[in-house]
């Protein structure tokens, strides 16, 4: 028995080492996309913090979900957060399963490049939306009389940049349309729907997404419109970006990974070569017809991304410091 355990442990260790080497090589090619996506998570938090300064508590708006779903109460708010945490942790662990299990269908680094692309695009739309119109928050700490409903005018820019994590994120107000929790939940579920291997788990994932939606409204963390808009917006974002991004290589076929990004010059040269073959009457290798698409930085070039972040920051500080 001890010999068997030792042999299996040795195989597992070799598998982990081999997988780590592969993923490090992929990370060396794609680190700037991972880093850019992670930095934008901070930018998103900064924007949510900024809109809290603009929030004005008022009467709760009429909402169909509030009439249909019983209010769980302030002391039951942890239920919604617990479901979201379980979704986040389980998806995060699943993306690293190739390090342990033999059934390797994905590359972890390439998958997270894709996930971060979905998140960044959805969060850009979310920032534009909740800065367009500030609604009175339905959450308990955002209602009139709560000390957290209004934030005092910041003394300096450094106070805004700190975000006050995690309290400032958990007790934010004003960043309503559309729900950030549903962005993460739907991106994770849609990604597992495409790259997961167990049908039963896919069905459970969609069920949890529906339950999460109902809990968010029942806990009065968002209006129903925040959840509804998230459902169709995130699905559309994932659908269109999937058409732009290169398809992840299937590891079971033994094909070498397609490293991100596919440069525009390489794609142009490849297209010219295919056209030349067709004009000369030569057949094109069917493998060459596989669409590699563009990396998510092809959607937003470095200069465009820098402009977006710069203009967003300028707009945020003008809104904050131009108010009396």
């Amino acid at each position: 028995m001890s010999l068997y355990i030792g042999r299996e442990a040795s195989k597992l260790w070799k598998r982990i080492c081999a997988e780590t080497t592969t993923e490090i090589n992929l990370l060396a090619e794609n680190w700037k996309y991972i880093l850019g996506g992670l930095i934008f998570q901070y930018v998103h938090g900064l924007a949510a913090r900024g809109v809290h300064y603009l929030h004005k508590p008022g009467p709760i708006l009429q909402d169909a979900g509030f009439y249909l779903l019983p209010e769980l109460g302030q002391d039951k708010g942890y239920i919604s957060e617990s479901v979201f945490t379980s979704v986040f942790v389980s998806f995060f662990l699943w993306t690293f399963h190739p390090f342990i299990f033999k059934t390797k269908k994905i590359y972890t680094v390439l998958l997270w490049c894709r996930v971060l692309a979905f998140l960044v695009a959805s969060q850009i739309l979310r920032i534009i939306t909740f800065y367009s119109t500030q609604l009175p928050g339905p959450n308990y700490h955002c209602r009139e009389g709560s000390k957290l409903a209004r934030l005092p005018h910041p003394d300096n820019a450094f106070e805004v940049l700190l975000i006050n994590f995690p309290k400032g994120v958990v007790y934010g107000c004003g960043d309503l349309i559309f729900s950030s929790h549903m962005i993460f939940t739907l991106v994770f579920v849609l990604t597992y729907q495409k790259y997961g291997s167990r049908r039963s788990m896919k069905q459970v994932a969609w069920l949890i997404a529906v339950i999460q939606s109902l809990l968010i409204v029942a806990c009065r963390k968002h209006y129903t419109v925040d959840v509804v808009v998230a459902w169709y917006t995130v699905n559309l974002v994932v659908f269109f970006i999937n058409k732009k991004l290169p398809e992840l290589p299937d590891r079971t076929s033994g094909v070498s990974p397609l490293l991100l990004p596919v440069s525009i010059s390489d794609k142009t040269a490849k297209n010219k070569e295919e056209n030349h073959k067709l004009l000369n009457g030569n057949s094109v290798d069917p493998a060459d017809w596989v669409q590699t698409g563009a990396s998510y930085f092809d959607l937003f070039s470095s200069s465009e991304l820098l402009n977006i972040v710069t203009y967003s920051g300028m707009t945020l500080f003008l809104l904050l410091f131009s108010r009396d």
Side-chain angles (χ1 to χ4, degrees):
M1 178 62 71
S2 60
L3 181 62
Y4 173 79
I5 295 176
R7 184 169 60 251
E8 290 301 316
S10 177
K11 290 181 180 179
L12 177 60
W13 176 247
K14 290 180 180 178
R15 187 183 307 136
I16 293 175
C17 291
E19 195 68 28
T20 301
T21 302
T22 302
E23 294 292 345
I24 288 177
N25 292 331
L26 288 173
L27 184 60
E29 296 288 338
N30 300 279
W31 65 269
K32 53 187 176 182
Y33 308 122
I34 298 291
L35 180 61
L38 294 177
I39 290 176
F40 196 84
Q41 300 311 301
Y42 168 76
V43 174
H44 176 254
L46 182 63
R49 174 73 170 179
V51 81
H52 195 167
Y53 288 102
L54 305 177
H55 178 256
K56 294 182 179 180
I60 298 178
L61 303 179
Q62 184 175 345
D63 190 279
F66 291 178
Y67 284 108
L68 297 175
L69 296 175
E71 187 172 356
L72 292 181
Q74 189 171 6
D75 58 333
K76 300 292 179 60
Y78 70 90
I79 299 178
S80 173
E81 292 299 325
S82 298
V83 173
F84 175 75
T85 301
S86 65
V87 171
F88 190 96
V89 172
S90 60
F91 178 82
F92 181 83
L93 294 177
W94 171 76
T95 62
F96 286 90
H97 80 274
F99 286 80
I100 305 298
F101 300 101
K102 295 181 180 179
T103 55
K104 308 170 185 178
K105 294 187 63 176
I106 61 171
Y107 291 94
T108 302
V109 170
L110 298 183
L111 184 73
W112 274 106
C113 285
R114 206 176 193 89
V115 169
L116 288 171
F118 299 150
L119 292 177
V120 168
S122 300
Q123 289 166 339
I124 289 175
L125 295 176
R126 181 174 188 260
I127 292 172
I128 294 173
T129 305
F130 66 63
Y131 266 107
S132 300
T133 302
Q134 289 82 49
L135 303 178
N139 211 335
Y140 301 99
H141 64 268
C142 297
R143 300 179 184 180
E144 192 69 58
S146 173
K147 295 180 179 180
L148 299 174
R150 297 173 183 265
L151 286 182
H153 193 77
D155 296 329
N156 50 64
F158 188 70
E159 181 181 340
V160 180
L161 295 175
L162 283 178
I163 303 181
N164 191 22
F165 183 85
K167 185 178 180 181
V169 176
V170 176
Y171 293 100
C173 297
D175 56 326
L176 293 175
I177 300 177
F178 41 96
S179 170
S180 180
H181 283 61
M182 290 309 303
I183 289 178
F184 281 90
T185 300
L186 290 172
V187 165
F188 293 164
V189 172
L190 288 167
T191 303
Y192 186 78
Q193 173 69 29
K194 186 171 184 178
Y195 299 108
S197 56
R198 296 188 179 182
R199 184 179 178 182
S200 59
M201 290 304 300
K202 295 178 182 180
Q203 295 172 342
V204 171
W206 283 112
L207 177 60
I208 292 177
V210 173
I211 294 174
Q212 175 72 21
S213 302
L214 299 176
L215 287 175
I216 288 175
V217 177
C219 292
R220 302 304 187 252
K221 294 185 176 182
H222 279 276
Y223 294 109
T224 306
V225 65
D226 307 339
V227 175
V228 171
V229 171
W231 268 91
Y232 61 74
T233 302
V234 175
N235 275 276
L236 288 173
V237 166
V238 172
F239 173 78
F240 285 109
I241 292 184
N242 264 329
K243 290 183 172 295
K244 293 289 184 180
L245 292 177
E247 186 53 73
L248 293 186
D250 186 2
R251 304 191 62 170
T252 57
S253 64
V255 179
S256 59
L258 299 173
L259 301 182
L260 292 178
V262 178
S263 65
I264 296 177
S265 59
D266 291 342
K267 290 186 295 182
T268 304
K270 183 177 180 181
N271 290 335
K272 288 182 178 179
E273 182 181 355
E274 291 178 355
N275 291 334
H276 181 69
K277 289 181 179 180
L278 291 174
L279 289 174
N280 291 335
N282 298 328
S283 61
V284 180
D285 187 352
D288 293 338
W289 288 99
V290 178
Q291 180 180 6
T292 57
S295 67
Y296 75 82
F297 254 63
D298 289 334
L299 300 177
F300 308 104
S301 65
S302 57
S303 59
E304 291 173 341
L305 185 60
L306 179 61
N307 289 335
I308 291 174
V309 175
T310 303
Y311 293 151
S312 300
M314 292 174 61
T315 303
L316 174 63
F317 286 109
L318 285 174
L319 287 171
L320 292 178
F321 296 102
S322 63
R323 298 176 62 87
D324 295 331

